[in-house]
Amino acid sequence: MVQALTKQSALNLFEQITAFSVNDATPGITRLAYSKEDELAHQLMIEKMKEMGLQVRQDMMGNIFARLPGKNPELPAIGTGSHIDSVPQGGAYDGVIGVIAGLYAISQFKPQQLKRSLELVIFRAEESSRFGFACMASKVMAGQADFDKWAKNTDSEGNNIFQVLDNCGYQSQKLDECRLPTHYFDGFIETHIEQGKVLEHQHKRIGVVNGIAAPCRYRVEVHGHADHSGATPMCQRHDALVASAAIITDINAAAGYESAYGTVGTVGRLDVSPNAINVIPGDVTFYVDIRGVDKASVNRVVAKFQASVEHAKAAQDVVINVSELANDMPVLMKDDIVHRLERICQEKGVPFTTMMSGAGHDTMYMAQDFPAGMLFIPSRDGVSHHPDEYSEFDDVILAAEILQQAMGELADA
Ligand SMILES: [Zn+2]
């Protein structure tokens, strides 16, 4: 027997996890990866899921797998899951509701009821706050972790991930064993908060994710000439900031033109030198982040950005160096899973929209090896990674019910 979560017991469990947070005066939830609070929260989940009757195991990295065996346990399983670590002073919902929804979905079935097994994964260290790397567990599971890089980055106490793993009683020497076999899952669906305002604006309760955007990032160094703002006539200037402003405006317009594809372009950081009211800006460095799920659309924005750089060089007579920091491929969700989730929403009369995920998730790495999908629920005011992060618990349960049906169908397919 497996004890099914009810809406009330799911809410109780959510509140129990929320209680594991650094106990100081700071607002919000602070449960950094592998901290004392994070360990205790994972321990609670192990106990709870064993108590419910699921088969629970933990790998060498501390990832938790809770399985409901199917009639044919040798077949690849159908997976779901998310993370329960948080950023400093984050919210209670990011990650956690994906674990709760997954557990709710799985627990509605009986052992051997479905052909395939169902499995919930709780991924460790999804947030990059502690070690500087995101989705560490799912990268390890997908064989995409760069251990040499990981060894060089330490947390605020000077320990790298391997030292922290060993201190927590896991086995950093055996991380290779955490790699999931090729046919481990036949499908994987993660539920997550949207972390944006698309659903709220469109009055939808569910987002069916069709792809996870990957960023193209550039550092742009503009070198002009710093001169007196009063004594230098307009025709004699080499203003690095005016050149930068033109490029930034062009990126904004180019991304706006591609909005039907969901492509977005942002300059979120700008360093101006000498940054004084009476000096023409001599040097500017800014950072460009262009992302979307349609690579051709992303590439069109990148091309317009590059053309804008050439134009600004000539117009302001400045030198501009562009370095590419990242150029990743978007991760597409599996059509079969996307369409299945859309159909289930239609059948249930749930207002939904199909959308891309602008943020990264563990499912990006699960999708490298397995057919994958994601469900979003609305985030109030689009806020996340902040104490004000909030989602309706009714939406968590609604997503869990959609997930339950999808997992049940996939498990019997
Ligand atoms: Zn998350």
Side-chain angles (χ1 to χ4, degrees):
M1 264 307 285
V2 163
Q3 185 194 333
L5 278 187
T6 60
K7 185 182 166 187
Q8 187 56 48
S9 59
L11 180 59
N12 292 346
L13 183 57
F14 171 75
E15 282 167 355
Q16 275 179 285
I17 296 174
T18 303
F20 293 108
S21 171
V22 169
N23 189 18
D24 60 16
T26 54
I29 304 293
T30 300
R31 189 168 50 244
L32 294 188
Y34 298 106
S35 63
K36 189 178 80 206
E37 298 75 24
D38 193 43
E39 283 300 299
L40 288 171
H42 283 82
Q43 209 49 52
L44 169 89
M45 288 307 297
I46 291 176
E47 283 158 24
K48 175 74 190 171
M49 295 192 297
K50 279 186 177 166
E51 221 177 86
M52 288 169 67
L54 295 169
Q55 298 173 353
V56 183
R57 72 176 174 96
Q58 211 170 8
D59 70 6
M60 303 298 179
M61 196 182 177
N63 298 304
I64 301 172
F65 298 80
R67 183 169 279 237
L68 177 85
K71 278 194 282 269
N72 302 89
E74 70 288 353
L75 289 176
I78 304 301
T80 183
S82 199
H83 62 98
I84 60 175
D85 63 317
S86 83
V87 301
Q89 297 179 48
Y93 298 82
D94 183 350
V96 176
I97 67 102
V99 169
I100 300 286
L103 187 56
Y104 178 97
I106 288 179
S107 72
Q108 307 307 313
F109 298 100
K110 297 180 184 63
Q112 283 87 40
Q113 180 185 341
L114 303 165
K115 201 156 102 185
R116 289 153 205 276
S117 304
L118 303 182
E119 190 166 75
L120 174 77
V121 186
I122 306 179
F123 298 95
R124 305 304 299 260
E126 193 271 348
E127 302 290 359
S128 58
S129 311
R130 182 160 185 188
F131 301 105
F133 303 102
C135 302
M136 295 179 93
S138 47
K139 279 177 183 156
V140 169
M141 290 179 200
Q144 300 212 357
D146 187 337
F147 292 149
D148 293 336
K149 253 191 187 170
W150 286 12
K152 290 184 197 118
N153 263 37
T154 56
D155 64 6
S156 59
E157 274 145 39
N159 295 314
N160 66 25
I161 175 75
F162 305 106
Q163 291 159 318
V164 169
L165 282 173
D166 293 334
N167 289 343
C168 288
Y170 305 116
Q171 290 178 275
S172 70
Q173 296 304 307
K174 295 188 176 172
L175 285 193
D176 285 336
E177 293 176 24
C178 302
R179 174 86 171 94
L180 291 180
T182 328
H183 296 293
Y184 192 79
F185 286 126
D186 248 352
F188 186 90
I189 305 174
E190 177 174 5
T191 307
H192 205 276
I193 55 169
E194 182 200 339
Q195 306 178 275
K197 299 177 195 168
V198 173
L199 295 174
E200 198 178 62
H201 276 197
Q202 296 186 15
H203 303 289
K204 306 290 189 195
R205 290 183 69 195
I206 292 289
V208 175
V209 176
N210 57 4
I212 303 175
C216 289
R217 286 183 172 151
Y218 302 88
R219 181 177 56 238
V220 183
E221 292 167 334
V222 184
H223 304 291
H225 201 275
D227 289 295
H228 195 287
S229 68
T232 314
M234 297 312 283
C235 63
Q236 290 175 11
R237 296 182 176 212
H238 307 275
D239 190 322
L241 186 54
V242 170
S244 304
I247 300 168
I248 294 166
T249 304
D250 285 347
I251 293 169
N252 187 265
Y257 193 73
E258 296 286 336
S259 61
Y261 299 93
T263 305
V264 290
T266 308
V267 173
R269 181 177 162 192
L270 184 86
D271 302 318
V272 180
S273 169
N275 210 18
I277 191 170
N278 58 348
V279 184
I280 297 165
D283 294 287
V284 171
T285 300
F286 63 92
Y287 294 80
V288 181
D289 176 313
I290 298 168
R291 55 176 98 186
V293 288
D294 186 314
K295 189 66 176 167
S297 167
V298 168
N299 287 345
R300 286 193 292 272
V301 178
V302 170
K304 283 185 183 164
F305 152 59
Q306 284 160 343
S308 177
V309 166
E310 293 310 314
H311 185 260
K313 274 183 192 171
Q316 303 303 327
D317 200 6
V318 292
V319 174
I320 303 180
N321 298 316
V322 177
S323 4
E324 185 180 273
L325 305 177
N327 187 355
D328 297 329
M329 284 301 284
V331 177
L332 296 183
M333 301 293 97
K334 187 80 175 173
D335 276 346
D336 167 68
I337 292 184
V338 172
H339 296 149
R340 191 180 294 277
L341 294 170
E342 290 170 334
R343 173 181 51 74
I344 294 169
C345 288
Q346 273 156 3
E347 283 170 5
K348 289 182 182 289
V350 175
F352 76 98
T353 189
T354 303
M355 60 187 293
M356 73 162 197
S357 170
H361 298 287
D362 287 312
T363 296
M364 278 168 74
Y365 298 97
M366 291 293 100
Q368 310 289 330
D369 292 322
F370 315 115
M374 285 192 81
L375 288 167
F376 276 170
I377 60 166
S379 297
R380 187 174 67 191
D381 298 330
V383 172
S384 75
H385 287 189
H386 188 277
D388 291 343
E389 180 181 288
Y390 179 81
S391 291
E392 293 290 343
F393 206 74
D394 280 346
D395 290 340
V396 177
I397 297 299
L398 179 65
E401 285 165 351
I402 294 164
L403 180 66
Q404 174 194 341
Q405 186 172 336
M407 291 183 83
E409 289 177 9
L410 288 166
D412 267 342

